[in-house]
Amino acid sequence: MVRSPDLLAALLGLGLGAVLTLPGAGAAGCRALGPAERLVFAPAAKARWLAPRVRPGPLDSLYGTVRGFLSVVQLNPFPAELIKTLLNEPASVKVDEVVRYQAGYVVCAVIAGLYLLAMPTAGLCFCCLRCRRRCGGRVKMEHKAMACERAVLVTFLLLTTLVLLIGVVTAFVTNQHMHEQMGPSAEAVPETLLSLRGLVSEVPLELQAVAEQFSFPQEQVLKELNGVGSSIGKAIHSQLKSTVYEALASVLSLGQALQVSVDHLRGLNATSVELQEGQEALAPALHGHRQRLLSLLQEPPCQGCAGALDKSHTLELGADFSQVPSVDHVLHLKGVPEANFYSMVLEENTTFNALPILAALQTADMIRELKKVVAEQPRGLNTMGEAFPVWEAASRWSQALEEVEERSRPFLEEVQSYERYRWIAGCVLCSVVLLVVVCNLLGLNLGIWGLSAREDPSHSEAKGESGARFLMVGVGFSFLFAVPLIILIFSTFLVGGNVQTLVCQSWESGELYEFVDTPGNLPPSMNLSQLLGLKKNLSILLAYEQCKQGAVLWTVLQLNDSYDLEKHLDISQYTIKLQQELQKLKVDVKNLDLLSPAARRDLEALQSSGLESIHYPGFLAEIQKPVVNSDVEKLAQELEGLSQTQGNATLGQKLQEEARGLQHLHQEKILPQQNLVAKLNRSVQALASSAPHLQSEISGVLDRVTHLKEELPTWATHILRNESECFLKREMGYFSQYVAWVREEVTQRIATCQPLSGALDSGRVILCDMVADPWNAFWFCLGWCTFFLIPSIVFAIKTSKYFRPIRKRLSSTSSEETQLFHIPRVTSLKL
């Protein structure tokens, strides 16, 4: 067995000397685990932005003029009550209310009706009169005011023709512009519906994506659960190792003290026996030498023998080791120490240092059960999307929008086909008006050319006649196409005007939104709040403004009043179940004995041995006495000297023999006895100094080890509970991050309704700016031309008379007086 003083230092090198806090001093902290790591979630909200259509701008001034005209035609405000009745009780709508609201259009209808009656009637009359040569003939007699009259008529006809030309060109442009805009407008409708359907249909998908990302904290927790057993074992080891190491060091130190004490006790007993046996052999020899020396030194011939004689008298045993106290009552410690304290402490230290591995092995089954709990998903998250107010409505709306989109495509194709027919009809009627303009311009040009050629006798008057005929052709076309023109104009005016004044104007001013927001205006089947399953009425105007700013459906629909998000984000039941499973974690430290049964028996045997009851002063009293009262070595030297100085050779020889005998006795008997006395002294001193404290140390170590053995499971359980709470707090940090992210994602990012406002703006631009404005501009320009056909007819008929040849001329009237457009002739000059 190793009995080196370096044994304790070697064990301390294993870590037994670490100075750490005792259990309970730092167990409440969670600094070892630290806070939860920052989780990065994938954005569930998709970036949607529907840019509203931009209205075309080259004809804005014309569109503004048309809107001004329509505002004069329709002076009544938005008919909220009339539309309310029409939507809720169509049968109770009164015709007089509709007529009263449409008073401006009724007036226009009357004007169109008068035009529709007057123009054919005037045309028939004109035909009849023309057949009788009563209308559009020629001037019968030239008079002085004819030139002025002709100039005025030509001027007014030219101005009227220019107005018609401007109108028909603008009508051509607006007709073509509307035709070009109809295609993009028709294509924009499905795109807008698709964007709205994407907004509606993706809300459940985004909510599902939010719920699915619960796997992020789950995976992180499952990952950290893999090392929780080892982590708990390390925490227990870290917080208990100072106490355990100190106890093991005390046990090792006491084991060494036990070994030393037992060795000294056994040495004391063996040395005492040897000393007693040596004295028994030494006493007769000393007695013989003393008797012989006393007889020799007292003889008369002995010279100078007085000093040696005195020393010979003391030549006897000094210490009597037969008188030392008995140690038989403590010699029952045979077989002690039974245990190898070094190996035992080393084994216990190894067992304690392996605690993290043991904890991981002991908690493996419980960790697997805990992982099953973590892998579950809270019930609230599973139903979060399904309970969302727009979840059920989203499906219906998505299907409805998809159905509308599918149905709109063939309808829009038909609209584009009808638009082509409308465009062709518009082009034909515009071409008719343009033909009237061309006839007027040709007639004016030929007529003026004919007038300028009347002074030339050699020139015929066919040009003037041709100009008059062209004017009559223009008049004929005007009468012939006036009816289809006025029908087309009024029908497009009635539709386009009402769209502008009833829809577009109220849409742009916000009156349409206010009408929809007013309770009771819409039938229950069209109540948006009920269709979305909301508890509060939704303000369309406010929703539109919020959507335009990029708000999300949570804010716009005020879902905090109809949807308890916190209820679905409540994971307390999940946390409680997780906590209950964590409380089942157990780490068994009963395998850590600290003191083996054999070592305990050794210490208890030493404690009950009575080592402290040995009478050590009795030993010390004999030890302090010399083995022989006289210094045998000096006495032998003195006898050697006396033998040289004696005159009697026989006496001198005897003295010399005695001297050699004493020297031999000193070497063979006395020196071994003195060495044994020194050895005995060391054992007695060691036992005398350690025995009084050894009993209390043994009692203290036994009590401490017993107490530690009893408290270790309690301390380990306490540390386990604290580490479990710290672990739960850390893991709940991941779930708290997820809950905060879900709350922010749902209330601030998911389902931005900007596409809704963009769709409304695009719808208004498509309907009002891209369709209604060019539509209204077309009938306005064409109507402008149609009504200017009347003065064109009048001026053309009047002017044509002055372009035909005059039957009688005034002889006194010069050509310059009768010709308005006279070009002087160049005559030759005689030099």
Side-chain angles (χ1 to χ4, degrees):
M1 181 180 295
V2 179
R3 294 185 178 89
S4 171
D6 295 333
L7 183 60
L8 181 60
L11 193 56
L12 291 176
L14 296 174
L16 299 181
V19 180
L20 296 172
T21 55
L22 293 176
C30 296
R31 289 175 295 176
L33 286 175
E37 298 178 7
R38 185 69 179 173
L39 296 179
V40 179
F41 299 95
K46 296 183 180 179
R48 302 186 201 87
W49 192 266
L50 179 63
R53 298 278 171 173
V54 180
R55 59 174 296 173
L59 300 175
D60 281 350
S61 58
L62 177 61
Y63 296 158
T65 303
V66 176
R67 292 194 195 101
F69 172 76
L70 289 174
S71 65
V72 173
V73 172
Q74 181 55 276
L75 297 175
N76 295 317
F78 182 74
E81 292 298 326
L82 181 60
I83 296 178
K84 176 182 177 181
T85 306
L86 182 64
L87 291 175
N88 291 277
E89 298 177 1
S92 61
V93 175
K94 297 180 180 179
V95 178
D96 57 341
E97 293 180 358
V98 177
V99 172
R100 191 179 303 113
Y101 172 71
Q102 298 281 11
Y105 292 96
V106 172
V107 172
C108 292
V110 171
I111 295 173
L114 293 176
Y115 187 94
L116 191 62
L117 292 175
M119 288 299 287
T121 304
L124 290 174
C125 294
F126 173 75
C127 289
C128 294
L129 293 174
R130 183 66 182 146
C131 291
R132 296 185 180 187
R133 300 181 182 275
R134 297 284 183 92
C135 184
R138 66 184 71 207
V139 177
K140 296 180 180 180
M141 184 180 292
E142 187 177 6
H143 52 85
K144 294 181 178 181
M146 187 180 68
C148 182
E149 291 176 1
R150 182 171 59 236
V152 171
L153 290 173
V154 168
T155 302
F156 277 105
L157 179 59
L158 181 61
L159 291 175
T160 304
T161 304
L162 290 176
V163 171
L164 286 173
L165 179 62
I166 294 172
V168 75
V169 170
T170 310
F172 266 119
V173 171
T174 54
N175 187 48
Q176 183 65 27
H177 185 67
M178 180 181 174
H179 184 65
E180 292 175 353
Q181 291 295 326
M182 184 58 70
S185 300
E187 294 175 359
V189 172
E191 293 177 3
T192 305
L193 291 174
L194 182 62
S195 177
L196 285 178
R197 187 158 62 92
L199 168 65
V200 173
S201 62
E202 288 178 0
V203 171
L205 299 178
E206 292 178 357
L207 291 173
Q208 188 66 28
V210 167
E212 288 175 354
Q213 294 197 46
F214 185 72
S215 60
F216 281 38
Q218 278 182 322
E219 292 174 358
Q220 186 67 25
V221 172
L222 290 173
K223 177 182 176 182
E224 295 187 358
L225 274 175
N226 292 329
V228 69
S230 177
S231 175
I232 291 174
K234 288 178 181 178
I236 296 175
H237 179 271
S238 175
Q239 297 184 41
L240 291 181
K241 66 180 180 180
S242 61
T243 304
V244 173
Y245 285 168
E246 185 178 351
L248 291 176
S250 301
V251 169
L252 180 60
S253 176
L254 194 58
Q256 289 182 331
L258 170 65
Q259 185 65 53
V260 170
S261 298
V262 171
D263 289 344
H264 279 299
L265 182 61
R266 289 172 180 170
L268 181 146
N269 183 59
T271 304
S272 298
V273 173
E274 289 182 16
L275 285 172
Q276 290 176 15
E277 292 176 353
Q279 279 186 330
E280 290 177 359
L282 181 60
L286 284 176
H287 181 71
H289 281 289
R290 181 174 178 272
Q291 291 300 326
R292 286 191 294 271
L293 286 176
L294 288 177
S295 62
L296 289 174
L297 294 175
Q298 289 177 356
E299 290 182 3
C302 188
Q303 299 176 1
C305 296
L309 181 62
D310 291 339
K311 292 180 180 179
S312 297
H313 282 291
T314 61
L315 191 63
E316 58 185 6
L317 294 175
D320 186 4
F321 288 101
S322 63
Q323 301 299 320
V324 295
S326 174
V327 293
D328 292 338
H329 62 285
V330 297
L331 288 178
H332 65 276
L333 292 174
K334 294 180 179 179
V336 176
E338 180 184 352
N340 187 333
F341 278 81
Y342 178 83
S343 299
M344 179 201 70
V345 171
L346 186 61
E347 181 180 354
E348 295 298 325
N349 180 68
T350 303
T351 301
F352 180 69
N353 288 337
L355 194 57
I357 300 175
L358 294 175
L361 294 175
Q362 292 177 8
T363 58
D365 293 337
M366 291 175 279
I367 294 298
R368 279 193 292 270
E369 294 299 323
L370 195 57
K371 286 183 177 180
K372 293 180 181 178
V373 175
V374 173
E376 297 176 0
Q377 193 166 9
R379 184 179 303 173
L381 290 176
N382 289 330
T383 59
M384 180 178 67
E386 297 174 0
F388 204 69
V390 297
W391 178 280
E392 184 179 353
S395 177
R396 298 196 307 269
W397 282 65
S398 179
Q399 293 177 359
L401 288 172
E402 184 178 5
E403 185 177 353
V404 170
E405 180 186 352
E406 291 177 355
R407 290 184 178 181
S408 67
R409 294 184 184 278
F411 173 75
L412 291 173
E413 291 176 359
E414 292 182 8
V415 168
Q416 287 181 296
S417 300
Y418 287 122
E419 163 57 22
R420 181 174 180 82
Y421 300 146
R422 187 212 60 80
W423 175 73
I424 294 174
C427 288
V428 170
L429 293 178
C430 288
S431 299
V432 171
V433 177
L434 183 60
L435 184 60
V436 172
V437 171
V438 171
C439 290
N440 286 349
L441 292 176
L442 288 175
L444 286 172
N445 287 328
L446 291 174
I448 294 172
W449 191 9
L451 291 175
S452 65
R454 280 185 180 177
E455 296 298 323
D456 187 359
S458 62
H459 196 282
S460 66
E461 296 180 344
K463 294 179 180 141
E465 186 68 29
S466 298
R469 289 179 180 178
F470 270 113
L471 292 178
M472 290 299 102
V473 170
V475 171
F477 278 123
S478 299
F479 281 122
L480 184 61
F481 288 97
V483 172
L485 278 172
I486 197 65
I487 292 175
L488 176 64
I489 291 167
F490 183 75
S491 59
T492 54
F493 159 71
L494 186 62
V495 175
N498 276 292
V499 168
Q500 175 62 38
T501 56
L502 189 61
V503 180
C504 295
Q505 187 174 341
S506 60
W507 196 340
E508 187 172 2
S509 65
E511 290 179 307
L512 192 61
Y513 295 121
E514 294 177 0
F515 172 80
V516 174
D517 286 339
T518 304
N521 283 349
L522 296 178
S525 60
M526 299 177 64
N527 190 314
L528 187 60
S529 300
Q530 294 180 4
L531 292 176
L532 293 175
L534 303 179
K535 295 182 179 179
K536 294 178 65 176
N537 288 329
L538 177 65
S539 172
I540 302 298
L541 180 59
L542 179 60
Y544 168 75
E545 293 174 350
Q546 290 176 331
C547 290
K548 202 167 187 177
Q549 296 174 359
V552 296
L553 288 180
W554 179 271
T555 304
V556 173
L557 301 182
Q558 301 177 7
L559 297 181
N560 53 334
D561 296 326
S562 57
Y563 180 71
D564 189 0
L565 179 61
E566 297 303 322
K567 176 183 177 182
H568 295 279
L569 295 181
D570 183 14
I571 58 173
S572 58
Q573 296 296 327
Y574 183 81
T575 306
I576 291 172
K577 193 172 183 180
L578 189 60
Q579 186 176 11
Q580 290 173 349
E581 292 297 325
L582 277 172
Q583 288 176 352
K584 295 179 182 179
L585 292 177
K586 293 181 181 179
V587 176
D588 187 6
V589 294
K590 293 180 180 179
N591 292 331
L592 188 64
D593 291 329
L594 299 178
L595 193 64
S596 66
R600 181 177 292 275
R601 288 195 298 269
D602 288 339
L603 294 179
E604 290 175 350
L606 183 62
Q607 184 181 23
S608 61
S609 65
L611 192 63
E612 75 285 355
S613 65
I614 298 176
H615 191 257
Y616 295 105
F619 281 95
L620 294 176
E622 296 301 324
I623 289 171
Q624 290 173 0
K625 295 176 182 181
V627 175
V628 180
N629 289 332
S630 177
D631 190 347
V632 177
E633 188 175 11
K634 288 183 179 181
L635 179 59
Q637 292 176 358
E638 189 175 352
L639 290 174
E640 185 70 26
L642 286 176
S643 66
Q644 300 295 330
T645 60
Q646 296 299 322
N648 188 342
T650 303
L651 181 61
Q653 184 178 0
K654 290 182 179 180
L655 287 174
Q656 190 174 7
E657 290 176 357
E658 287 296 329
R660 285 196 294 270
L662 287 175
Q663 288 177 353
H664 182 269
L665 182 65
H666 181 266
Q667 292 294 330
E668 297 294 331
K669 302 286 186 179
I670 296 176
L671 280 179
Q673 285 291 93
Q674 288 178 347
N675 291 336
L676 289 175
V677 170
K679 181 180 179 182
L680 180 64
N681 184 44
R682 288 194 299 271
S683 297
V684 171
Q685 290 290 346
L687 290 174
S689 62
S690 63
H693 307 290
L694 194 59
Q695 301 302 316
S696 60
E697 289 180 7
I698 292 174
S699 298
V701 169
L702 289 175
D703 292 342
R704 185 173 182 180
V705 169
T706 302
H707 175 72
L708 191 59
K709 177 69 173 176
E710 294 174 354
E711 292 297 327
L712 272 180
T714 304
W715 289 345
T717 302
H718 174 72
I719 297 171
L720 174 63
R721 291 290 171 262
N722 182 67
E723 289 300 312
S724 299
E725 292 176 2
C726 291
F727 178 78
L728 181 63
K729 181 179 179 181
R730 176 184 171 88
E731 306 317 307
M732 286 303 104
Y734 295 121
F735 294 115
S736 298
Q737 290 183 47
Y738 171 76
V739 169
W741 174 78
V742 171
R743 186 181 296 111
E744 181 179 359
E745 198 76 6
V746 172
T747 60
Q748 298 181 23
R749 291 189 177 88
I750 279 184
T752 173
C753 65
Q754 190 279 332
L756 178 61
S757 63
L760 290 175
D761 290 339
S762 297
R764 185 182 59 80
V765 170
I766 293 171
L767 177 63
C768 301
D769 298 340
M770 298 176 69
V771 176
D773 278 349
W775 176 286
N776 291 331
F778 171 70
W779 64 251
F780 180 79
C781 295
L782 199 58
W784 167 5
C785 295
T786 302
F787 280 94
F788 269 91
L789 286 177
I790 297 174
S792 174
I793 293 171
V794 174
F795 293 135
I797 293 173
K798 290 289 186 182
T799 305
S800 65
K801 295 190 299 182
Y802 293 94
F803 288 162
R804 290 189 172 93
I806 301 174
R807 293 178 179 177
K808 295 182 180 181
R809 295 176 179 267
L810 292 175
S811 59
S812 61
T813 305
S814 65
S815 61
E816 294 182 0
E817 291 176 351
T818 59
Q819 296 290 337
L820 177 62
F821 300 99
H822 174 70
I823 302 176
R825 291 182 174 274
V826 179
T827 58
S828 62
L829 299 177
K830 294 182 179 181
L831 299 178

